Amino acid sequence: DAGITQSPRYKITETGRQVTLMCHQTWSHSYMFWYRQDLGHGLRLIYYSAAADITDKGEVPDGYVVSRSKTENFPLTLESATRSQTSVYFCASIAPGQKNTGELFFGEGSRLTVL
Amino acid sequence: EDKVVQSPLSLVVHEGDTVTLNCSYEVTNFRSLLWYKQEKKAPTFLFMLTSSGIEKKSGRLSSILDKKELSSILNITATQTGDSAIYLCALYTGTASKLTFGTGTRLQVTL
C-alpha cells in the first residue's frame, strides 16, 4: 500500500551511539518533515526537505542530521545520542495539492529510548 | 516564532458529555488552521479551516475559526470512549509548507 513507512518502530540505544531513523514514502511527495513529540511540547519540527538534496532546519535541529538523496527517502540521524533525544519521532509529507492547506500525512512513528 | 496554545491540556469527561477544546494563536497572517486527532499512533487529519465564522462538521465533531479572537474551537457532542485521544491544533502559514503545532489536549472519555 502507498504511504509513509518508518523504521525501526522501536529502538533502545545508549548515550553516545549513532542512530538512524528511516522514512520512506511511496507517493513521490516533494516536501518531507521530521517531527519529535514530547510530553508538554507537542510536535516540534526538527528538519524538513523541499525536494531531493534540499534540506533545512526546523525548530529543534541540534544533534540531528538529515539527508535526502532520493525523493522517497528522508533518513534522520542522531550522530551521538543523548538522553534528551528520547522521544517519539514522526516523519510526514505533504501532497502537492495540499501545499495551500498544509495537510500532512504522517508515518506511524518511531519510539526512541536513549539510556 | 509562530505560537499555538491549546487548552485545556487534559480533560476527563463521561460518555455522552459535550466538550469544547480551544486553540489560540498569535500569528495574524496564515493560510489555514488544522485539527488532528492522535490515538495511539500517528495524527490523523480532522479539519482544515481558512475562513472565519464558517463551521466545519463531521458527524459529532465540529470546528470553527474566529480570526478576530485569534482562536479556534473543536466541539465534540455525545462523546464516546472512542473519542479518547490527543487533539492537536496546527497553524499553516504557507512558509516552506511547515506546520506549527500546539501542545495538544488529551481527552479521556470514561464510561
Side-chain angles (χ1 to χ4, degrees):
Chain A
D1 281 340
I4 296 182
T5 54
Q6 293 183 230
S7 62
R9 295 289 315 284
Y10 302 91
K11 175 78 177 177
I12 299 174
T13 191
E14 294 177 337
T15 302
R17 299 242 183 188
Q18 183 179 80
V19 176
T20 295
L21 305 179
M22 303 300 294
C23 178
H24 175 79
Q25 54 118 343
T26 58
W27 291 308
S28 298
H29 290 170
S30 294
Y31 278 91
M32 295 186 75
F33 307 84
W34 274 107
Y35 285 88
R36 60 177 289 175
Q37 186 173 32
D38 306 286
L39 203 61
H41 290 280
L43 284 159
R44 291 181 291 174
L45 182 65
I46 305 170
Y47 268 96
Y48 66 99
S49 168
D53 297 321
I54 301 174
T55 62
D56 209 343
K57 295 179 181 179
E59 185 186 349
V60 289
D62 293 343
Y64 302 95
V65 174
V66 292
S67 62
R68 187 127 179 248
S69 57
K70 290 184 180 181
T71 300
E72 60 266 29
N73 296 323
F74 190 36
L76 176 74
T77 298
L78 289 67
E79 294 189 301
S80 178
T82 65
R83 289 199 186 91
S84 65
Q85 292 177 309
T86 292
S87 187
V88 180
Y89 292 86
F90 287 99
C91 179
S93 71
I94 195 164
Q98 263 69 47
K99 280 182 68 178
N100 285 330
T101 64
E103 182 183 344
L104 289 178
F105 294 93
F106 286 88
E108 298 276 89
S110 295
R111 182 177 292 275
L112 176 67
T113 301
V114 183
L115 301 175
Chain B
E1 184 182 303
D2 306 335
K3 194 173 178 186
V4 179
V5 178
Q6 291 187 245
S7 63
L9 288 181
S10 68
L11 191 57
V12 180
V13 301
H14 292 295
E15 203 172 43
D17 288 349
T18 292
V19 297
T20 298
L21 310 182
N22 296 282
C23 175
S24 62
Y25 52 88
E26 296 178 347
V27 177
T28 54
N29 188 20
F30 63 95
R31 289 198 185 182
S32 60
L33 185 146
L34 296 93
W35 283 96
Y36 283 83
K37 177 183 181 181
Q38 184 179 20
E39 297 177 82
K40 293 197 191 305
K41 299 179 182 177
T44 54
F45 173 77
L46 289 175
F47 297 110
M48 188 269 295
L49 305 160
T50 56
S51 301
S52 198
I54 297 176
E55 187 182 51
K56 291 278 183 91
K57 283 198 76 156
S58 176
R60 296 175 294 102
L61 278 67
S62 64
S63 184
I64 196 162
L65 179 64
D66 187 339
K67 286 192 174 183
K68 230 185 210 178
E69 296 296 324
L70 304 184
S71 66
S72 174
I73 59 170
L74 175 67
N75 274 322
I76 308 174
T77 59
T79 51
Q80 302 171 357
T81 55
D83 295 326
S84 296
I86 296 173
Y87 290 85
L88 297 163
C89 171
L91 208 61
Y92 180 58
T93 60
T95 304
S97 298
K98 294 184 291 181
L99 287 184
T100 300
F101 284 86
T103 52
T105 293
R106 183 180 293 271
L107 173 66
Q108 185 180 349
V109 181
T110 62
L111 291 170

